[in-house]
Amino acid sequence: MATRENPFRNLPQVQKLLELPAARSLSERFGHRAVTHALRSTLAELREQIGSGLLAAAPDVDTVLARSGERLADEVRPGLRRTINATGIVLHTNLGRAPLAREAIDAVADASSAYCNLEFDLETGRRGSRTQALEPLLEQVTGAEAALAVNNGAAAVLLALSALSRGGEVIVSRGELVEIGGGFRVPDVIRQGGARLVEVGSTNKTRLDDYRAAITPETRVLLKVHQSNFRTIGFTAETGMAELAGLAREHDLLVVADLGSGLLHRTPGTTEPTVGEALAAGADLVTCSGDKLLGGPQAGLILGSSEAVDPLRRHPLLRAVRLDKMSLAALEATLRLHRDRPERIPVLRMLGQSEEELQARAERLMAMVGSGEVEPSDAFAGGGSLPEERIASRALALAPPMGPDEAAALLRSGEPAVVGRIRQDRLLFDMLTVADEDLAELAEALKAVAA
Ligand SMILES: *Cc1c(COP(=O)(O)O)cnc(C)c1O
């Protein structure tokens, strides 16, 4: 009778709930404040549901506690979640680009879990430079005379142009005025750096004479931007680095090359210039990212002659784009691996897999899932690197009964999240970017949608 008159009446009180053993164990796990807050929110929601007639009566205490527990578990789920990348795109900017090598992860933990000599010279006891350990290593692996590292590739370009061309003119080919993604456009960066952009040539052809004709007493830099995420094909002409460097020398100008991807070692079949090749061809300054083909943390590397790098060291913008100690630690460890044991860098390992390995992994996954088919698949390096170079790979293809979009959404919500590709009515899981250690978890997730 009482319940019928007042359906809110049996809703428990927060203080009473907090005294129960189940609430105490929630408090131990999530903290007292969070549990109090979650109980209040759950009760408010129940009150609303009763008020709107969605619920006839208050649920029992166990239900209230269970709902609060779910709410708390949701709240502590981190925003950044582990994701199995089954897209076949090794450097997927949306999925965090390069996974780090074990050595780099350990270096991050060491540098960040205690104090470290970030800007302290342990020999002299005086203030040191934060990149002093890194610079010789960068010089060793690239052959550059001088080196600097900043927060990311875009910052490296901005700093270079700010320090070398402010108030002057920067000449760049119309075929290289690219947008890298996320709104990073070369013309905008040149303007931000305080220089005037002088475009030369046409979209498909830019010759040395085009650069030569545009040189004025205001010219500071000849800029070469790697096309990264697209290619001009057909009737095309591009001025090579060596020719450009020759012209720059005649007029006492600097050549800056934004390579983007940061390839350090020549790998068979890649058309991408390496950092060392660009420097050897005469670039005064080369910039690239740390988390593309270099396989390290987010960072921007600047390599070149001392004459070109020194003004950047003195520029006020350097402070605003400096690397933090965790990235610095990861970058140093990654560069050491490049020098001594490149096969331990995950990005390089993934790109170096044979079709037999990929076929075997796909077959193992198929056996674990108990359904699907193994098919040839085109994988890519990604991240604006080698956009045309398809990598022959293998994928497990599934036709989930609930339809591919719904299945893909379900896989994204899992732990770990799984991201693959959709082709027609099926889901494809490419083996190039899946590690053997991920197979068991991936198979569990796929079984749930294949059933
Ligand atoms: C990726 C890329 C950049 C930007 O580098 P971030 O590290 O993403 O800031 C700049 N230039 C080129 C040519 C690139 O490919």
Side-chain angles (χ1 to χ4, degrees):
M1 184 66 190
T3 321
R4 172 108 47 87
E5 273 165 18
N6 180 6
F8 299 105
R9 205 186 126 120
N10 285 347
L11 272 178
Q13 286 180 329
V14 172
Q15 283 314 320
K16 290 262 154 56
L17 286 169
L18 280 169
E19 285 160 19
L20 298 173
R24 291 225 189 100
S25 73
L26 284 178
S27 289
E28 256 162 49
R29 196 168 145 213
F30 298 105
H32 181 74
R33 273 169 68 131
V35 173
T36 309
H37 188 257
L39 290 171
R40 285 215 180 96
S41 306
T42 304
L43 290 172
E45 190 181 81
L46 290 170
R47 229 172 266 124
E48 215 176 282
Q49 288 174 349
I50 294 170
S52 66
L54 222 62
L55 267 182
D60 61 20
V61 167
D62 288 343
T63 308
V64 175
L65 284 167
R67 280 210 199 178
S68 303
E70 280 163 28
R71 188 182 284 271
L72 286 159
D74 261 358
E75 276 167 11
V76 300
R77 248 151 75 109
L80 282 179
R81 298 226 283 280
R82 191 160 79 84
T83 301
I84 294 180
N85 172 10
T87 64
I89 298 167
V90 177
L91 299 164
H92 201 304
T93 299
N94 303 151
L95 300 182
R97 290 196 185 154
L100 294 178
R102 186 75 249 162
E103 287 81 351
I105 297 163
D106 292 345
V108 172
D110 279 350
S112 56
S113 54
Y115 293 103
C116 66
N117 62 331
L118 180 63
E119 289 189 0
F120 184 65
D121 188 326
L122 292 173
E123 260 177 53
T124 62
R126 299 221 177 89
R127 187 171 195 279
S129 133
R130 67 171 54 209
T131 51
Q132 74 187 358
L134 191 71
E135 288 169 25
L137 205 49
L138 272 171
E139 290 155 18
Q140 272 173 19
V141 296
T142 63
E145 186 186 7
L148 197 58
V150 294
N151 188 43
N152 59 23
V157 180
L158 180 62
L159 177 64
L161 294 180
S162 302
L164 302 177
S165 63
R166 175 166 294 274
E169 291 172 354
V170 173
I171 302 180
V172 60
S173 159
R174 289 202 169 87
E176 297 174 9
L177 292 171
V178 301
E179 172 170 327
I180 305 303
F184 176 83
R185 286 184 171 166
V186 168
D188 298 337
V189 178
I190 294 173
R191 275 188 282 273
Q192 271 306 318
R196 277 187 307 286
L197 168 70
V198 178
E199 302 174 23
V200 295
S202 59
T203 309
N204 53 333
K205 287 207 175 197
T206 305
R207 299 186 184 81
L208 189 62
D209 282 342
D210 296 322
Y211 287 93
R212 191 192 305 278
I215 294 174
T216 74
E218 303 298 307
T219 309
R220 301 278 178 276
V221 164
L222 305 183
L223 175 67
K224 204 155 172 52
V225 182
H226 187 66
Q227 285 183 339
S228 287
N229 46 9
F230 76 108
R231 286 286 177 269
T232 24
I233 54 167
F235 186 59
T236 65
E238 185 188 349
T239 304
M241 181 59 73
E243 286 175 282
L244 213 54
L247 180 66
R249 223 157 290 130
E250 280 173 36
H251 295 268
D252 212 13
L253 304 172
L254 293 171
V255 175
V256 174
D258 174 18
L259 289 189
S261 75
L263 185 66
L264 291 186
H265 315 277
R266 171 130 309 280
T267 46
T270 56
T271 53
E272 199 98 347
T274 68
V275 172
E277 284 165 359
L279 289 169
D284 297 285
L285 206 71
V286 170
T287 63
C288 66
S289 296
D291 54 358
K292 293 184 181 171
L293 289 176
L294 205 114
Q298 180 187 303
L301 309 186
I302 298 165
L303 306 137
S305 65
S306 302
E307 187 202 344
V309 174
D310 282 344
L312 278 62
R313 289 188 208 286
R314 296 190 298 269
H315 197 276
L317 194 57
L318 179 61
R319 170 63 185 251
V321 297
R322 71 183 185 185
L323 262 180
D324 73 289
K325 62 183 175 183
M326 291 187 276
S327 308
L328 205 50
L331 185 57
E332 190 186 325
T334 306
L335 289 167
R336 198 162 283 123
L337 290 177
H338 270 288
R339 190 190 59 192
D340 304 331
R341 309 168 76 190
E343 70 284 357
R344 296 190 55 81
I345 296 171
V347 165
L348 299 185
R349 206 166 49 208
M350 281 189 248
L351 289 171
Q353 297 172 101
S354 68
E355 287 185 60
E356 290 72 33
E357 273 176 88
L358 297 165
Q359 174 78 27
R361 187 174 303 132
E363 284 172 8
R364 261 183 74 197
L365 180 63
M366 183 171 65
M368 289 160 91
V369 176
S371 62
E373 287 167 51
V374 173
E375 311 191 339
S377 164
D378 285 334
F380 292 92
S385 322
L386 326 171
E388 262 191 320
E389 294 171 25
R390 289 159 201 279
I391 302 166
S393 181
R394 295 290 184 282
L396 179 68
L398 288 181
M402 76 263 280
D405 291 318
E406 197 182 323
L410 198 64
L411 288 168
R412 286 197 305 274
S413 71
E415 277 185 53
V418 173
V419 181
R421 290 204 307 261
I422 297 180
R423 191 153 78 194
Q424 280 138 14
D425 291 335
R426 297 176 318 153
L427 290 173
L428 253 54
F429 303 94
D430 195 297
M431 292 299 105
L432 189 80
T433 44
V434 173
D436 281 329
E437 304 84 74
D438 291 337
L439 281 186
E441 278 175 314
L442 178 56
E444 280 312 304
L446 297 192
K447 267 196 251 176
V449 299

